[in-house]
Amino acid sequence: MQRRRPDRPEEQGQPRRPPDPTYLAHRDVARARDLGLQQDPEALQLMMDRLQLPEDPTIAELLQVLIQDAALVHQFCPNPFRSTAPMPGSFPRSGILLGHEQFTHSPVFIDGRQVAEGVVAVGAPGSGKTTELLSMVAQLARAKVSVLILDLKRDFRTLAALLPDLIHVFPTERFPVSVAEVAEGISPRSWASLLTGAAAHAWGLFEASQSYLLRCLNALYRDRSIYSNGSWWPSIQDIRNTVIKPPFRVKRNEEQYRDRLVLRLDMLCTVLPAMARRWRGLPVESPRYKAPITVLELDGLDAGLQAFLVDVIILRTVHRQLARGHRGGLDKVLVIDEATRVFDAQRERQERHLNTVVTGLQQCRELGIGMLLAAQEPGRLSRTVMGCTGTKLAMAAADGNDAGALGRILGLDREQARYIHHLERGQAVVRMLRGHTDPFLMRVPNLPFDKNAATDDYLERTMAGVWRDLDGMQRPSGVTALPSPGEPKQSRAEQGQKTAPPAEPQRHGAPSPADGSPCTAGAEPDLPNPDAPHISALPEDRRRLLIDVATHLWSWSSHREKRLGLSSRQVDSFRKWLERHGYIRCHRASTGRRGGVPVLMEPTDKGWAEVGLTKPKGLGKGGHVHQFWQHTIADHYRSRGGEATLEGRVGDKQVDVLAVLDGRTIAIEVQLSDAHSEENLRRDLEPDLLDELVVACDRGSVVKRVQRLAAELPAELSRRVHICPLGHFLSSKED
């Protein structure tokens, strides 16, 4: 390994050259001028002693002139930034005030275009970075520019005391964004990819872990019908459950990827339980959000969690602007304090390619998104992020390494970089991308911000209404949480123990006769009022199907597809989902002949409660399949111009369906098993009041059994018995 070549004289074994006394005297003159000590005799004597030539009248006279003549002080001063000081008129006359030039005291303004190009302030703690950002944020809010602040130290809540009508503050435990909710204008597939990219950048995931998370998100979005315009967004808890038990086969080598993701998601669910349960959030990233200033506090979180949430906000903001098609002027400003926690140079060097977050930052200027960043350690700040900012402020450095890094970032020469050590609190070396491009010295505004003015009690009083709206976006207390695809199913007994949501106001009406869903008098289901407010735990498309099942109990799938505008595959998928989550029960109605078997859907108590209805009375006897055949047979005779009654009476006997067609009285018995078949035959034929008895059977074995029994009857009774499969009555319901 090659040794570094010594550059300094003392490293080469040579004695160090003493500093030039004239240079030291000139430096002292500049300090005296800057501090207003031109007439101070002690300062004059100190500088005379520095020369070590007090008997030389020429130098003493020159020193006196330098101290008292401002023009000569400016000419001979060793301050390296005097020669690059801007001339009057170098800056706009209005805009956002950065500060005042050190020597001429002229105001330094930047316009909206320069704000959109980005501003970064770097310096040691207490150097004035936060004060500078607070001043800029207050000016932007008064200029009606939307500002979103990602506060990692709870410094910006002080604006709530100064501008209470212009600000919304959300503490860490009330983080208002649902990370899996797709922002307006972004496709769900794009957001799933962006979200996994943010997790990879913040948590240091490799391609395999990132791919595993993307597969889980796709499965969860597909299960919630997000790709089919569904609106029930998954929460962090749902993502965690899916990662633990995904709906696909996990290979042995993928278990380590799952464990790493679960560890991070568990931390989010533990530290931010309210956000982990939230399925909707506030659109704080929108330039049209109702508060000009929005502060999202992220203190008390692990650096990885902070980076993840910040990345999510940046991606939502950038891609929302892309979807809006906004180009040009300043439209939104993002403020990030302690930016090194998010944009770490070491992490950037470890990544094999530019991540989605840094790529989004590179688009901010074009989209009208200004970035105001602050950092303490310039050496740790990502070089790509520094390259995305047009205005850079270097404040007092903590050590020589930081001073050297600041010198490289601002392109300072050796003397200018050394001067950074002498910067006072409130002073900054500024370099801009346009306008006056040479580095110059500036004094930032010294505003009286009291960081203790906005306490927790003060925020609870002033932000109560905003926080109440946010709490309303969590899953309602009476609504059952939706299990994820990999979550174990609950028994019906467990589902029945959960509290149902409040019922909707009801209105009454009958289904359309064209839908093939006959209902007898007194058995018409109530229809839910679509205008009534309702908080549902169901995705909208699944709830529509559930409402259709509750209001058209005997419809076939083809009729449901036409009414809801869905394909047969979608209806089948939604049916399975509703059954898996305990909203319906499915039955197969055997027809007794070859061909497809109708699948019947029956709402459970949980399903009836979800749509705000109660199960109608008088639907028939027996189970749901038996009732379906009763209604189907009655509809068969009605469609041929006859009359049909469920549970009609023949003398003192009761039959499943009593029909009158062409003056003939017909009794129909639905025979779904061998039980009571002989009893039904003799009971119905004995009164001798029927012209025909139809026995509809669901399978061939029952048909043969009834035929044997009918053959044993007397001939005059046997002639009135007609045996057929139940599928014979389906012609009236076929398309």
Side-chain angles (χ1 to χ4, degrees), residues 692-708:
E692 183 180 357
L693 172 63
V694 178
V695 182
C697 306
D698 67 338
R699 54 186 179 271
S701 61
V702 179
V703 171
K704 294 178 181 179
R705 168 70 175 167
V706 175
Q707 286 175 343
R708 287 197 300 268

Side-chain angles (χ1 to χ4, degrees), residues 434-513:
R434 62 185 68 256
H436 184 78
T437 58
D438 292 330
F440 62 92
L441 198 59
M442 183 190 73
R443 186 169 291 277
V444 303
N446 186 16
L447 302 179
F449 289 114
D450 184 6
K451 294 185 178 181
N452 298 320
T455 61
D456 291 340
D457 294 338
Y458 176 82
L459 291 179
E460 287 184 4
R461 293 194 306 270
T462 56
M463 304 294 162
V466 182
W467 294 354
R468 193 180 308 114
D469 294 342
L470 179 64
D471 293 340
M473 293 183 176
Q474 295 187 26
R475 191 172 282 124
S477 58
V479 176
T480 303
L482 296 178
S484 298
E487 194 172 350
K489 300 179 184 178
Q490 295 175 333
S491 66
R492 291 176 182 171
E494 292 174 340
Q495 292 169 352
Q497 293 174 358
K498 296 193 176 182
T499 307
E504 298 175 348
Q506 300 176 359
R507 60 184 178 89
H508 300 278
S512 170

Side-chain angles (χ1 to χ4, degrees), residues 118 129 177-178 182 222 319 321 357 371 447 530 619 645 661 703:
K129 304 183 304 297
V177 177
S178 176
V182 182
R222 197 180 305 112
H319 288 272
Q321 290 291 87
V357 180
M371 297 289 296
L447 302 179
L619 296 178
T645 305
L661 180 64
V703 171

